[in-house]
Amino acid sequence: MNHHPAAWGRPLPASASFDMYNPQFSAPKAAPAHQMPVAHTQQPLVTGTSVLGIKFDGGVMLAADNLASYGSLARFKDIERLHPLGPHTVIAAAGDMSDFQWLKKELNAILREEQALSLTDSHPSLSPSNIYDFLANLFYARRSKMNPVWNAVLVGGWDRVKAETFLGYVDLLGTTYSAPTLATGFGAHIAQPLLREAFEAKAGTDGKGPLMTQQEATAVLDDCMKVLFYRDARSMNKYQIATVTKDGVVISDSKSSETQWGFAEDLRGYGAQTQ
Amino acid sequence: MFRNSYDSDNTTFSPQGKLHQVEYALEAVKQGSAAIGLRSKTHARSTGELATYQKKLIRIDDHVGVAIAGLTSDARVLSNSMRQQAMSEKMLYGRPIPVARIVQGISDKAQMNTQQYGRRPYGVGFLVIGQDETGPHLFEFSPAGTAFEYYAHSIGARSQSAKTYLEKNFESFENGR
């Protein structure tokens, strides 16, 4: 905050940051006396695991489980990691959950401001790719200050102007990536091959063929979430799927996969047998 | 305009409810050479042809430009601010700034100068033309901090004859050239 007497009684207007001649913004900031760069690199504390995303014919689907872990402890078991933004976009986040909560607050504020401005100029609201560009800028700027937003985020949506689907990935390093199938964390190793196999079965290896139907996409996501529950030690068998089409955003109720643990009976130390 | 005791202080109203400094700033716009703008359903155009040696048109971004009338130095500062804002929004959101919003940005900036002691209003008016997702637009920005949208408009010296012509004929611009 600027406490200089010359600035008393002068709240900073939004246009001030574009003012070339305002010394508050144009003067270079004094370097800290200790000469070491200021670094805020954190460690994530309460975390969410993989998020999956897939495009189908007429929309996009994102899946994420309901678990927020505290290290190896399965601490919070009813967390919704899918978040709708406006009528045609969904974001899903893995990584630090407090950073995700902050992100949700920031993005909701930006969208609300856009809605208020649109009241006067009837401009269409931010499209999924606009929101994605904003997030990409935000994540890269924070990483460049050595104070990352410790998340991997998938943005999925329906672009009303271009009448096409959108699916993008952005993470704490500021890396951006867009593809018909996406997955973060463990999902990138285990689920992505399954998603790609299902995608290429219909669209071909060049991706130019037809997209899956909504039922096929749900089926492959259900299968991937089951495999992830088997293999990811920080996952939970309770997840939700968000679907975005031209008709809007629908986030399903939580569901679970049928799993087989009978094989454990034969293993020493597991099941009902004694050593 | 008559010189009186209410006209030297930007933050003092006259008994008639006027801010004389703002009125005088509007005079500065009227003294600049004429700028004319008009728009149809698909295009927006502006021109400043009577100012032979003075650059009247400034490009803000690929989709927005302004025609100036008044103090050219004030025009430079305001158009630089518009350019920065347009560039920032394009980078942040990946889309060109909507015309109404960039105009609102400088309007808010100019209004601040009419309500702070020691500051003077900007002495330049703009005709802002641009194209965004909602089509072509023409706005008039004035030192009072107002911005209104028009189908056709003109500002500056001897602009009244242009206004009269535009008033008579603007309906034919909608669909034609």
Side-chain angles (χ1 to χ4, degrees):
Chain A
M1 272 200 78
N2 184 16
H3 297 282
H4 196 279
W8 285 353
R10 292 192 187 189
L12 222 49
S15 60
S17 55
F18 301 110
D19 203 347
M20 286 169 63
Y21 309 108
N22 186 337
Q24 252 183 299
F25 293 98
S26 55
K29 290 190 173 62
H34 51 80
Q35 294 304 325
M36 281 284 288
V38 181
H40 304 282
T41 320
Q42 319 129 1
Q43 48 168 336
L45 294 173
V46 178
T47 56
T49 186
S50 335
V51 177
L52 310 179
I54 191 164
K55 286 191 185 181
F56 63 91
D57 189 21
V60 176
M61 260 186 216
L62 301 183
D65 69 16
N66 291 120
L67 178 64
S69 309
Y70 186 58
S72 61
L73 171 65
R75 180 79 178 81
F76 302 103
K77 295 165 93 175
D78 57 1
I79 302 297
E80 198 164 303
R81 298 196 286 126
L82 303 161
H83 180 67
L85 283 174
H88 293 283
T89 315
V90 180
I91 61 163
D96 189 81
M97 286 292 103
S98 65
D99 278 350
F100 181 46
Q101 287 174 346
W102 175 82
L103 261 184
K104 283 192 283 191
K105 212 162 27 149
E106 287 295 308
L107 287 169
N108 284 339
I110 285 162
L111 281 176
R112 234 188 343 261
E113 203 181 307
E114 281 283 315
Q115 274 164 16
L117 289 169
S118 296
L119 289 173
T120 349
D121 58 21
S122 316
H123 204 262
S125 54
L126 289 174
S127 74
S129 63
N130 296 148
I131 293 170
Y132 178 70
D133 282 344
F134 174 78
L135 275 180
N137 276 305
L138 176 70
F139 273 77
Y140 184 71
R142 285 284 299 262
R143 87 104 217 207
S144 300
K145 289 195 268 195
M146 292 299 288
N147 183 11
V149 182
W150 206 289
N151 292 109
V153 172
L154 291 191
V155 180
W158 174 262
D159 190 326
R160 259 181 307 182
V161 173
K162 294 190 200 148
E164 61 184 25
T165 51
F166 179 85
L167 183 60
Y169 164 99
V170 58
D171 70 6
L172 74 165
L173 299 175
T175 308
T176 52
Y177 180 65
S178 214
T181 63
L182 288 175
T184 71
F186 245 82
H189 294 98
I190 292 177
Q192 182 72 294
L194 299 172
L195 294 170
R196 284 177 177 167
E197 188 182 47
F199 171 76
E200 287 170 11
K202 288 201 86 170
T205 42
D206 59 1
K208 295 209 170 83
L211 292 168
M212 290 182 265
T213 64
Q214 188 165 345
Q215 289 78 5
E216 284 168 339
T218 312
V220 74
L221 281 180
D222 285 341
D223 185 48
C224 286
M225 293 305 284
K226 177 156 76 166
V227 175
L228 280 172
F229 175 59
Y230 275 125
R231 294 295 178 178
D232 181 0
R234 303 285 184 265
S235 64
M236 186 171 74
N237 192 10
K238 187 170 147 224
Y239 63 95
Q240 287 170 290
I241 294 185
T243 310
V244 194
T245 59
K246 62 173 170 40
D247 302 319
V249 177
V250 175
I251 299 185
S252 74
D253 293 330
S254 295
K255 51 169 139 167
S256 301
S257 319
E258 292 284 317
T259 50
Q260 306 264 17
W261 296 100
F263 70 91
E265 295 287 332
D266 301 324
L267 298 173
R268 280 237 290 258
Y270 294 95
Q273 94 244 120
T274 54
Q275 293 267 8
Chain B
M1 295 294 157
F2 300 109
R3 292 207 65 78
N4 54 43
S5 53
Y6 299 105
D7 61 6
S8 32
D9 200 332
N10 192 19
T11 51
T12 304
F13 277 107
S14 75
Q16 293 79 29
K18 294 184 181 198
L19 287 170
H20 281 286
Q21 277 300 306
V22 179
E23 310 262 324
Y24 297 158
L26 292 170
E27 265 304 305
V29 177
K30 286 185 207 156
Q31 297 296 328
S33 59
I36 303 160
L38 50 95
R39 74 148 168 118
S40 71
K41 278 206 189 86
T42 51
H43 291 79
R45 291 201 66 184
S46 78
T47 177
E49 275 175 28
L50 293 177
T52 33
Y53 291 102
Q54 174 59 56
K55 188 177 95 163
K56 297 274 288 180
L57 305 175
I58 302 174
R59 183 207 289 265
I60 303 296
D61 195 352
D62 291 336
H63 69 298
V64 178
V66 304
I68 71 174
L71 267 50
T72 46
S73 46
D74 286 1
R76 192 182 74 85
V77 165
L78 278 175
S79 59
N80 276 341
S81 169
M82 286 173 88
R83 280 172 173 167
Q84 282 184 290
Q85 197 170 2
M87 196 163 66
S88 164
E89 182 118 346
K90 187 191 270 187
M91 181 182 132
L92 213 50
Y93 298 108
R95 61 137 163 84
I97 187 169
V99 187
R101 288 190 205 170
I102 195 173
V103 171
Q104 198 57 47
I106 45 165
S107 301
D108 291 342
K109 197 172 156 74
Q111 190 279 341
M112 273 205 310
N113 281 39
T114 69
Q115 208 172 4
Q116 269 183 25
Y117 182 72
R119 290 187 156 212
R120 66 158 177 84
Y122 287 99
V124 65
F126 286 163
L127 283 182
V128 184
I129 54 162
Q131 179 112 14
D132 60 27
E133 279 176 290
T134 52
H137 297 279
L138 166 68
F139 285 89
E140 182 208 6
F141 156 79
S142 89
T146 55
F148 292 111
E149 190 168 5
Y150 290 87
Y151 288 108
H153 198 50
S154 70
I155 55 175
R158 294 179 289 277
S159 56
Q160 187 50 53
S161 47
K163 274 204 198 89
T164 317
Y165 175 85
L166 291 171
E167 255 182 58
K168 277 211 195 87
N169 297 314
F170 80 94
E171 263 145 0
S172 69
F173 304 150
E174 268 293 284
N175 298 308
R177 185 193 136 314

